[in-house]
Amino acid sequence: MSNIRLSSRLLTCFLLLAVGISAAATQKQTVTLTSGWEFHQLLSGPTVESANAAIRDASQWHPAVVPGSVHLDLLRNKLIPDPFYRDNEAKLQWIENADWEYRTTVQVTPALLAQKNVDLVFEGLDAFSRVYLNDQLILTADNMFREWRVNVKADLKPGANTLRVVFPSPIKAAADIASSDPWQPRTHTEPKTYLRKAAYEYGWDWGPRFVTSGVWRPARLEAWDAARISNVHIRQLDVSSTVAHLLAEVEVTATEAGSATISLDYGVTGKRSEATRTVQVQPGVNHVTLPIDIINPQLWFPAGYGAQPIYKFQVRLGMGKGVLDEAVAKTGLRSIVLRREPDQWGRSFEFVVNGIPVFGKGADVIPFDSFPTRVTAQQYRSVLQSAVDANMNMIRHWGGGYYETDEFYDLCDELGIMIWQDFMFGNDWQPGTYGWKLNVTREAEEQVRRLRNHPSIVLWCGNNETEVALAWKDRDKLNPDVRFQMWQDYVTTFSGILAATVNRLAPETPYWPSSPSSDYEELSDKYQSGDMHDWSVWHGRVPFADYEKHNPRFMTEYGFQSFPEMRTVETFTIPEDRINIFTPVMLAHQKNAAGNAIIRDYMLRDYPQPKDFASFLYASQVLQAEGIKVGAEHLRRNRPRTMGSIYWQLNDCWPVASWSSLDYYGRWKALHYYARRFYAPVLVSPHQEGGNVAVYVVSDKTTPTVATLRVRILTFEGTVLSDKSQPVTIAPLASKVYLTMPMLEITNLPNCDLGKIFAVTDLLVDHKTISTNTLFFVPKKDMQLPQPKIDSTLTAGAPPNGGPNTTGAPSYRPAQRDDRVGSNTVATESIYTLHLASPVLAPGVYVSFGNLDAKPADNYFDLLPGQPVDLTITSAASLDDLKAQMKVISLTDAFAPHSADLVSAEK
Ligand code: BMA
């Protein structure tokens, strides 16, 4: 649908109604409604009583931005402070209880009114709203995730027309709808779930509560004559490398009968083909199908498995002499199967793309901002590019947010990121009224129709954790009849309505009822079948090593929190907030009630106490990265039993302590650098098991890899106790042990003290290291680490050999808070070389440049004794400025002796 809109815009290219319409009268015209909007608070109802100065100000008309939201409009008009700064969130909760009104004037030309149909289209209204055109109520909307289309030809007049959208408080609107369900008091289903709206707006354990209102997606007028193209679906009936059998399904909505010609021009990079069909259309919805065979198609692959060619299908609708409408659909050609076969462990769960069983490597994606309309193209690209740069090939688009923009999905197609697409239902038990189910049916139909051409979407999933939620919140104490009815409603929605919608509208894409789920074959969240969320680490507070006790078939969530880096913390704090992690402002930016105490407790289990606040932030990132590394490497070693590792979570929607590996500003936390290593296409993973060090190599390559495996045992001071190399041929798409070293052999080495030595494993291809890993034999706090003196020299120009990693860590925008509302400028960057050397082991080396934007090619890595590294640094800053702000530390510095007690505050 989006592609269709884009094409229509190109076709007619009208930005404002004020602009004269010059296109042929029979051609569809599109007018975007972005200008002249104003908003104010409606001072009716209970808010009058409580009106404070800000509210009274908000009751005046102020300029507004559409698409947008009331919080952003209040911020732009300086009626509220930055919602993300310090503890401002708490002061802004009144906004959700207020009623808001938006208005604009629409200038309509006679030429537009001469068209036979004129539709007013809202791609999204958040959420409950009433739309008035020239003071006539023309629409009542009650679902943020739906598109609303109303024929307004009879309501429009030439010249100025007033368009108003009234948003009653979403809290009150939801309560009103809930009160009409006689079951609600018995099921205790939350009132908010009766209004279809992004669940995270109400606050989450990583997100603030900002329940907003607004015209949050584009709005437009569409004027058309006898017919228009209302959807194009490129069905991939059977795709192989020799031939792709496709079926182009063109939906034509007509108000008149007549002979219509659909012509299709399609192809990839230069090569074009054509197909045409003439049919008799009737008033209503017409489906026109055109079979297409493409010989030797260029297939679309997930990142790491091949290219991502995108085929374009240009569609034209002609009736009589004129072209009535045009559309463009895009897709990548691939076959997708969710393979679930009985095996010795239960039932498999693996995505097979173009015949290749692909191990899913990635993270869960949450909304990019609490206020989605300010997310820029640059942010989308930066976060998704960062995912691919960390060797990810899959994300799970989590169900507590909103369906993303077309741009987001286009980028995933382009980058080869497979998407596990949740429908937008998060955790809460959902209502079962007939009206709600109808509403959800429409929503699912619209979203599947909008998104089904994207090759990146490999699975539609009913919800996030709603199935497991049946066991939560004392639901077992409910009356059995009520509970039974709730379960019936659950199954009707998630294995009935949504499953049927996907099967009908995107039959080649698999559907899964919930995450986690076993599709009712056993209790959800178990190991034999389906996907799993493993929260034994963190919420269950077990040690990281316990990840290795679990063997899920596909892991869709596991995670551990860390703090963002100091530069990000500085954007929302003043110095007094940064005394320790338990200050009121630091706690306001920690949404998991016990979160900071959990970080502290895990920290003190494995590490000494960090010496100051900055060291705590840094050490928390290393703690998180080391912990998730245990889980991720276990899952990869466990293939083919386990076929996916999706950690919680990729990104943040504001600056906060959370499970993310990229902070709100897109800055890579330690975990993201670690992910690039533990998700490497070929991974060397040494593991202590059964009295041995078993050196695994896991390969996602489809062909064998001829390599040299090197295993060294070193003291922290750099003495080589053992050094073994052997040629290996790494099996494709497999995990195997290629070398085993008995622990006895290690402990019998002369001068061996397990608190002073470590193992280094390297995998070399053509003398180049493609994967390297370290193994320590005792926890960090028991390691007798010598104090390293890291020698660091920064010079202009690239490293002579290109450095250890050529992919930089992008950071998409500067940290100034005000910048989030505006645009970004990209400065010209230069390349520098940072030479690092240490005579003794420096674990977790962290290079930072204060307030300067600089991207080190690697960070948070173990600098080996006597093994210098040349690191590429990319930055727009000058050499002198970088030198002045550069800091290089390692874990040993973070735990240097100190007197302050930063962690004992009991929270
Ligand atoms: C999972 C997610 C989120 C949550 C995360 C951390 O259950 O689905 O709901 O943020 O855990 O608690």
mmCIF file with all atom_site columns, all heavy atoms in Angstrom, residues 825-832 874-878:
data_model
loop_
_atom_site.group_PDB
_atom_site.id
_atom_site.type_symbol
_atom_site.label_atom_id
_atom_site.label_alt_id
_atom_site.label_comp_id
_atom_site.label_asym_id
_atom_site.label_entity_id
_atom_site.label_seq_id
_atom_site.pdbx_PDB_ins_code
_atom_site.Cartn_x
_atom_site.Cartn_y
_atom_site.Cartn_z
_atom_site.occupancy
_atom_site.B_iso_or_equiv
_atom_site.pdbx_formal_charge
_atom_site.auth_seq_id
_atom_site.auth_comp_id
_atom_site.auth_asym_id
_atom_site.auth_atom_id
_atom_site.pdbx_PDB_model_num
ATOM 1  N N   . THR A 1 825 ? 23.267 17.048 10.893 1.00 0.00 ? 825 THR A N   1
ATOM 2  C CA  . THR A 1 825 ? 24.180 17.312 9.788  1.00 0.00 ? 825 THR A CA  1
ATOM 3  C C   . THR A 1 825 ? 25.327 16.321 9.890  1.00 0.00 ? 825 THR A C   1
ATOM 4  O O   . THR A 1 825 ? 25.729 15.935 10.983 1.00 0.00 ? 825 THR A O   1
ATOM 5  C CB  . THR A 1 825 ? 24.755 18.738 9.877  1.00 0.00 ? 825 THR A CB  1
ATOM 6  O OG1 . THR A 1 825 ? 25.214 18.927 11.215 1.00 0.00 ? 825 THR A OG1 1
ATOM 7  C CG2 . THR A 1 825 ? 23.725 19.780 9.530  1.00 0.00 ? 825 THR A CG2 1
ATOM 8  N N   . VAL A 1 826 ? 25.833 15.905 8.761  1.00 0.00 ? 826 VAL A N   1
ATOM 9  C CA  . VAL A 1 826 ? 26.918 14.932 8.776  1.00 0.00 ? 826 VAL A CA  1
ATOM 10 C C   . VAL A 1 826 ? 28.200 15.647 8.393  1.00 0.00 ? 826 VAL A C   1
ATOM 11 O O   . VAL A 1 826 ? 28.311 16.212 7.301  1.00 0.00 ? 826 VAL A O   1
ATOM 12 C CB  . VAL A 1 826 ? 26.621 13.776 7.790  1.00 0.00 ? 826 VAL A CB  1
ATOM 13 C CG1 . VAL A 1 826 ? 27.760 12.760 7.791  1.00 0.00 ? 826 VAL A CG1 1
ATOM 14 C CG2 . VAL A 1 826 ? 25.305 13.116 8.144  1.00 0.00 ? 826 VAL A CG2 1
ATOM 15 N N   . ALA A 1 827 ? 29.163 15.653 9.302  1.00 0.00 ? 827 ALA A N   1
ATOM 16 C CA  . ALA A 1 827 ? 30.432 16.326 9.033  1.00 0.00 ? 827 ALA A CA  1
ATOM 17 C C   . ALA A 1 827 ? 31.384 15.353 8.330  1.00 0.00 ? 827 ALA A C   1
ATOM 18 O O   . ALA A 1 827 ? 31.207 14.148 8.406  1.00 0.00 ? 827 ALA A O   1
ATOM 19 C CB  . ALA A 1 827 ? 31.036 16.795 10.347 1.00 0.00 ? 827 ALA A CB  1
ATOM 20 N N   . THR A 1 828 ? 32.389 15.915 7.660  1.00 0.00 ? 828 THR A N   1
ATOM 21 C CA  . THR A 1 828 ? 33.364 15.061 6.973  1.00 0.00 ? 828 THR A CA  1
ATOM 22 C C   . THR A 1 828 ? 34.267 14.412 8.011  1.00 0.00 ? 828 THR A C   1
ATOM 23 O O   . THR A 1 828 ? 34.803 15.083 8.893  1.00 0.00 ? 828 THR A O   1
ATOM 24 C CB  . THR A 1 828 ? 34.227 15.924 6.023  1.00 0.00 ? 828 THR A CB  1
ATOM 25 O OG1 . THR A 1 828 ? 33.363 16.879 5.431  1.00 0.00 ? 828 THR A OG1 1
ATOM 26 C CG2 . THR A 1 828 ? 34.902 15.083 4.970  1.00 0.00 ? 828 THR A CG2 1
ATOM 27 N N   . GLU A 1 829 ? 34.435 13.122 7.882  1.00 0.00 ? 829 GLU A N   1
ATOM 28 C CA  . GLU A 1 829 ? 35.204 12.398 8.892  1.00 0.00 ? 829 GLU A CA  1
ATOM 29 C C   . GLU A 1 829 ? 36.597 12.052 8.384  1.00 0.00 ? 829 GLU A C   1
ATOM 30 O O   . GLU A 1 829 ? 36.803 11.888 7.184  1.00 0.00 ? 829 GLU A O   1
ATOM 31 C CB  . GLU A 1 829 ? 34.456 11.121 9.285  1.00 0.00 ? 829 GLU A CB  1
ATOM 32 C CG  . GLU A 1 829 ? 33.161 11.432 10.021 1.00 0.00 ? 829 GLU A CG  1
ATOM 33 C CD  . GLU A 1 829 ? 32.389 10.199 10.420 1.00 0.00 ? 829 GLU A CD  1
ATOM 34 O OE1 . GLU A 1 829 ? 32.380 9.249  9.619  1.00 0.00 ? 829 GLU A OE1 1
ATOM 35 O OE2 . GLU A 1 829 ? 31.802 10.200 11.509 1.00 0.00 ? 829 GLU A OE2 1
ATOM 36 N N   . SER A 1 830 ? 37.527 11.929 9.302  1.00 0.00 ? 830 SER A N   1
ATOM 37 C CA  . SER A 1 830 ? 38.897 11.516 8.956  1.00 0.00 ? 830 SER A CA  1
ATOM 38 C C   . SER A 1 830 ? 39.189 10.196 9.650  1.00 0.00 ? 830 SER A C   1
ATOM 39 O O   . SER A 1 830 ? 38.511 9.808  10.604 1.00 0.00 ? 830 SER A O   1
ATOM 40 C CB  . SER A 1 830 ? 39.917 12.546 9.441  1.00 0.00 ? 830 SER A CB  1
ATOM 41 O OG  . SER A 1 830 ? 39.580 13.810 8.956  1.00 0.00 ? 830 SER A OG  1
ATOM 42 N N   . ILE A 1 831 ? 40.240 9.560  9.167  1.00 0.00 ? 831 ILE A N   1
ATOM 43 C CA  . ILE A 1 831 ? 40.649 8.271  9.732  1.00 0.00 ? 831 ILE A CA  1
ATOM 44 C C   . ILE A 1 831 ? 41.922 8.472  10.561 1.00 0.00 ? 831 ILE A C   1
ATOM 45 O O   . ILE A 1 831 ? 42.858 9.157  10.124 1.00 0.00 ? 831 ILE A O   1
ATOM 46 C CB  . ILE A 1 831 ? 40.957 7.257  8.597  1.00 0.00 ? 831 ILE A CB  1
ATOM 47 C CG1 . ILE A 1 831 ? 39.734 7.068  7.691  1.00 0.00 ? 831 ILE A CG1 1
ATOM 48 C CG2 . ILE A 1 831 ? 41.456 5.927  9.149  1.00 0.00 ? 831 ILE A CG2 1
ATOM 49 C CD1 . ILE A 1 831 ? 38.626 6.266  8.284  1.00 0.00 ? 831 ILE A CD1 1
ATOM 50 N N   . TYR A 1 832 ? 41.928 7.895  11.720 1.00 0.00 ? 832 TYR A N   1
ATOM 51 C CA  . TYR A 1 832 ? 43.105 7.948  12.602 1.00 0.00 ? 832 TYR A CA  1
ATOM 52 C C   . TYR A 1 832 ? 43.485 6.525  13.008 1.00 0.00 ? 832 TYR A C   1
ATOM 53 O O   . TYR A 1 832 ? 42.673 5.607  12.894 1.00 0.00 ? 832 TYR A O   1
ATOM 54 C CB  . TYR A 1 832 ? 42.791 8.751  13.873 1.00 0.00 ? 832 TYR A CB  1
ATOM 55 C CG  . TYR A 1 832 ? 42.350 10.169 13.587 1.00 0.00 ? 832 TYR A CG  1
ATOM 56 C CD1 . TYR A 1 832 ? 40.990 10.472 13.445 1.00 0.00 ? 832 TYR A CD1 1
ATOM 57 C CD2 . TYR A 1 832 ? 43.284 11.186 13.452 1.00 0.00 ? 832 TYR A CD2 1
ATOM 58 C CE1 . TYR A 1 832 ? 40.580 11.765 13.172 1.00 0.00 ? 832 TYR A CE1 1
ATOM 59 C CE2 . TYR A 1 832 ? 42.873 12.496 13.184 1.00 0.00 ? 832 TYR A CE2 1
ATOM 60 C CZ  . TYR A 1 832 ? 41.524 12.782 13.046 1.00 0.00 ? 832 TYR A CZ  1
ATOM 61 O OH  . TYR A 1 832 ? 41.120 14.057 12.772 1.00 0.00 ? 832 TYR A OH  1
ATOM 62 N N   . THR A 1 874 ? 37.450 6.624  13.471 1.00 0.00 ? 874 THR A N   1
ATOM 63 C CA  . THR A 1 874 ? 36.848 7.519  12.483 1.00 0.00 ? 874 THR A CA  1
ATOM 64 C C   . THR A 1 874 ? 36.194 8.674  13.227 1.00 0.00 ? 874 THR A C   1
ATOM 65 O O   . THR A 1 874 ? 35.407 8.444  14.145 1.00 0.00 ? 874 THR A O   1
ATOM 66 C CB  . THR A 1 874 ? 35.779 6.764  11.661 1.00 0.00 ? 874 THR A CB  1
ATOM 67 O OG1 . THR A 1 874 ? 36.337 5.519  11.257 1.00 0.00 ? 874 THR A OG1 1
ATOM 68 C CG2 . THR A 1 874 ? 35.361 7.546  10.436 1.00 0.00 ? 874 THR A CG2 1
ATOM 69 N N   . SER A 1 875 ? 36.536 9.906  12.847 1.00 0.00 ? 875 SER A N   1
ATOM 70 C CA  . SER A 1 875 ? 35.973 11.053 13.548 1.00 0.00 ? 875 SER A CA  1
ATOM 71 C C   . SER A 1 875 ? 36.110 12.324 12.714 1.00 0.00 ? 875 SER A C   1
ATOM 72 O O   . SER A 1 875 ? 37.034 12.457 11.918 1.00 0.00 ? 875 SER A O   1
ATOM 73 C CB  . SER A 1 875 ? 36.692 11.252 14.893 1.00 0.00 ? 875 SER A CB  1
ATOM 74 O OG  . SER A 1 875 ? 36.171 12.387 15.546 1.00 0.00 ? 875 SER A OG  1
ATOM 75 N N   . ALA A 1 876 ? 35.163 13.241 12.939 1.00 0.00 ? 876 ALA A N   1
ATOM 76 C CA  . ALA A 1 876 ? 35.255 14.544 12.284 1.00 0.00 ? 876 ALA A CA  1
ATOM 77 C C   . ALA A 1 876 ? 36.133 15.488 13.110 1.00 0.00 ? 876 ALA A C   1
ATOM 78 O O   . ALA A 1 876 ? 36.485 16.578 12.666 1.00 0.00 ? 876 ALA A O   1
ATOM 79 C CB  . ALA A 1 876 ? 33.863 15.130 12.115 1.00 0.00 ? 876 ALA A CB  1
ATOM 80 N N   . ALA A 1 877 ? 36.489 15.078 14.319 1.00 0.00 ? 877 ALA A N   1
ATOM 81 C CA  . ALA A 1 877 ? 37.291 15.941 15.203 1.00 0.00 ? 877 ALA A CA  1
ATOM 82 C C   . ALA A 1 877 ? 38.761 15.943 14.767 1.00 0.00 ? 877 ALA A C   1
ATOM 83 O O   . ALA A 1 877 ? 39.210 15.036 14.072 1.00 0.00 ? 877 ALA A O   1
ATOM 84 C CB  . ALA A 1 877 ? 37.165 15.454 16.636 1.00 0.00 ? 877 ALA A CB  1
ATOM 85 N N   . SER A 1 878 ? 39.483 16.982 15.220 1.00 0.00 ? 878 SER A N   1
ATOM 86 C CA  . SER A 1 878 ? 40.900 17.091 14.838 1.00 0.00 ? 878 SER A CA  1
ATOM 87 C C   . SER A 1 878 ? 41.742 16.165 15.706 1.00 0.00 ? 878 SER A C   1
ATOM 88 O O   . SER A 1 878 ? 41.311 15.741 16.787 1.00 0.00 ? 878 SER A O   1
ATOM 89 C CB  . SER A 1 878 ? 41.369 18.528 15.025 1.00 0.00 ? 878 SER A CB  1
ATOM 90 O OG  . SER A 1 878 ? 41.462 18.795 16.419 1.00 0.00 ? 878 SER A OG  1
#
